């Protein structure tokens, strides 16, 4: 199988789900779960469950949360040998969900990622250059995103960037590109922040392919010449929205590695997101290559 290297965040997800209407500024009865998460880590685990050879470049502290993340990656088949130990605590993502599984609010502590610099990435140049695709998330410092864009351009590598959030997407603004970045996967809010909601403007900023994730409305796949609406795949039950976007990115990457056209690959992403929405975990443990392609064939 093709090899993918994901460079991005790993953390522990702490999710509180209200059992009834979620009232602000007071305690709400419900349940609290603890699991491995992080945008980059989730994408990597999804790809591993889809049968790909995946390495994750991330930062973990020397603490109990790091042990939880390492254990989860080992079980899923995600290689962590390229990662490093940070002096900061392992990242934490704290989310509050309403009774339907939709996010009310969240706080992300990713200080561990701040210690990454291009010098560390440079030591991994040989491994990065041999990858079939690189995936980076915007938990990385801006200087590292710039290095990766330059590196991918010099070596003719496909680099996909996941913006993560409105605030973190802003790191991409003002960065110079020697060559177009292969792909970016914003949601509607991130597209607004980056390009005033205009996909054409995002292409002009130096992104060859754009897959706009629109939640319940599916996606739009644009290669700069044609924009194709990708219909959503309905999940019978929404258990938890956390990680659905990460699953969509992994499904997209899986399709691209299969040689599918952009819109068809994005359709696989929608299928992966639908599978995830039915799970209360940040990554659906019952995701598999067989299940993904079977769902794509029947929807």
């Amino acid at each position: 199988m093709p090899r993918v290297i994901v460079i991005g965040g790993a953390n522990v997800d702490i999710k509180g789900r209200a059992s009834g209407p979620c009232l602000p500024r007071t305690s709400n009865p419900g349940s609290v779960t603890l699991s491995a998460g992080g945008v980059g880590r989730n994408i990597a685990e999804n790809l591993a469950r889809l049968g790909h050879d995946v390495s994750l470049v991330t930062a973990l502290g020397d603490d109990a949360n790091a042990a939880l993340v390492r254990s989860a990656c080992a079980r899923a088949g995600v290689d962590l040998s390229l990662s490093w130990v940070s002096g900061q605590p392992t990242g934490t993502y704290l989310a509050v969900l309403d009774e339907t599984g939709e996010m009310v609010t969240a706080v992300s502590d990713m200080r561990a990622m701040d210690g990454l610099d291009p010098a560390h990435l440079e030591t991994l140049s040989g491994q990065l250059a041999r990858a079939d695709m690189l995936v980076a998330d915007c938990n990385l410092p801006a200087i590292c995103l710039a290095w990766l864009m330059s590196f991918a351009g010099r070596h003719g590598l496909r680099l996909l960037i996941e913006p993560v959030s409105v605030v973190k997407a802003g790191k991409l603004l003002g960065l110079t590109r020697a060559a177009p970045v292969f792909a970016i996967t914003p949601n509607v809010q991130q597209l607004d922040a980056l390009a005033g909601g205009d996909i054409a403007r995002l292409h002009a900023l130096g992104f060859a392919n754009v897959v706009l994730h629109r939640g319940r409305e599916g996606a739009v796949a644009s290669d700069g010449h044609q924009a194709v609406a990708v219909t959503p795949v309905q999940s019978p039950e929404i258990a938890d929205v956390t990680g659905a976007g990460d699953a969509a990115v992994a499904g997209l990457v899986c399709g691209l590695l299969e040689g599918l056209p952009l819109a068809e690959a994005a359709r696989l992403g929608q299928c992966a997101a639908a599978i995830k929405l039915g799970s209360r975990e940040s990554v659906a443990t019952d995701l598999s290559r067989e299940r993904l392609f079977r769902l794509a064939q029947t929807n």
Side-chain angles (χ1 to χ4, degrees):
M1 293 296 292
R3 187 177 188 218
V4 185
I5 299 181
V6 181
I7 310 99
N11 53 251
V12 167
D13 285 346
I14 304 171
K15 294 182 286 187
R17 177 170 174 160
S19 55
C22 194
L23 303 177
R25 301 183 184 278
T26 188
S27 175
N28 289 271
S31 60
V32 177
T33 61
L34 187 75
S35 62
V39 171
R41 197 214 69 86
N42 289 349
I43 293 170
E45 179 174 339
N46 277 292
L47 285 168
R49 292 188 180 280
L50 292 172
H52 291 282
D53 179 2
V54 186
S55 292
L56 174 63
V57 180
T58 193
L60 297 172
D62 184 14
D63 51 28
N65 282 347
L68 187 154
V69 171
R70 290 183 184 280
S71 176
C73 287
R75 289 195 303 272
V78 176
D79 170 46
L80 281 174
S81 65
L82 305 182
S83 295
W84 75 101
V85 177
S86 168
Q88 297 287 345
T90 299
T92 305
Y93 175 79
L94 176 64
V96 176
L97 311 175
D98 65 18
E99 72 275 22
T100 70
E102 293 285 351
M103 182 194 300
V104 176
T105 190
V107 176
S108 177
D109 179 357
M110 299 299 294
R111 289 172 291 167
M113 298 298 295
D114 294 341
L116 178 61
D117 60 29
H120 180 81
L121 294 176
E122 193 71 52
T123 67
L124 306 178
S125 293
Q127 294 96 322
L128 294 172
R130 290 192 294 273
D132 294 283
M133 185 173 289
L134 302 177
V135 178
D137 76 39
C138 286
N139 284 306
L140 296 169
I143 192 172
C144 292
L145 291 166
W147 187 92
L148 284 166
M149 289 190 290
S150 175
F151 181 84
R154 292 196 311 272
H155 292 271
L157 295 169
R158 291 185 292 179
L159 169 65
L160 181 148
I161 295 180
E162 163 52 40
V164 177
S165 70
V166 168
V167 173
K168 293 177 180 180
K171 297 176 184 179
L172 297 171
L173 296 173
L175 296 181
T176 58
R177 298 157 182 79
V181 175
F182 176 71
I184 188 170
T185 54
N187 62 22
V188 173
Q189 293 77 19
Q190 293 156 10
L191 178 63
D192 286 342
L194 286 169
D198 186 352
I199 290 178
R201 185 177 167 193
L202 200 51
H203 284 302
L205 287 173
F207 297 97
N209 298 288
V210 177
V211 175
L212 173 65
H213 289 141
R214 303 191 299 166
R216 295 176 185 270
E217 297 181 9
V220 175
S222 174
D223 62 4
H225 302 287
Q226 181 183 27
V228 178
V230 181
T231 56
V233 177
Q234 300 300 328
S235 177
E237 177 187 3
I238 297 179
D240 183 348
V241 300
T242 308
D246 307 333
V249 172
L252 168 67
V253 170
C254 180
L256 291 170
L257 291 170
E258 289 282 331
L260 296 178
L262 186 67
E264 291 183 29
R267 179 67 175 172
L268 275 187
Q270 292 299 298
C271 292
I275 293 171
K276 159 61 201 88
L277 287 170
S279 171
R280 292 204 174 195
E281 301 293 327
S282 297
V283 175
T285 54
D286 57 352
L287 176 67
S288 67
R289 182 181 182 82
E290 179 184 5
R291 185 180 180 191
L292 179 68
F293 281 87
R294 184 170 65 245
L295 183 59
Q297 290 170 357
T298 56
N299 283 269

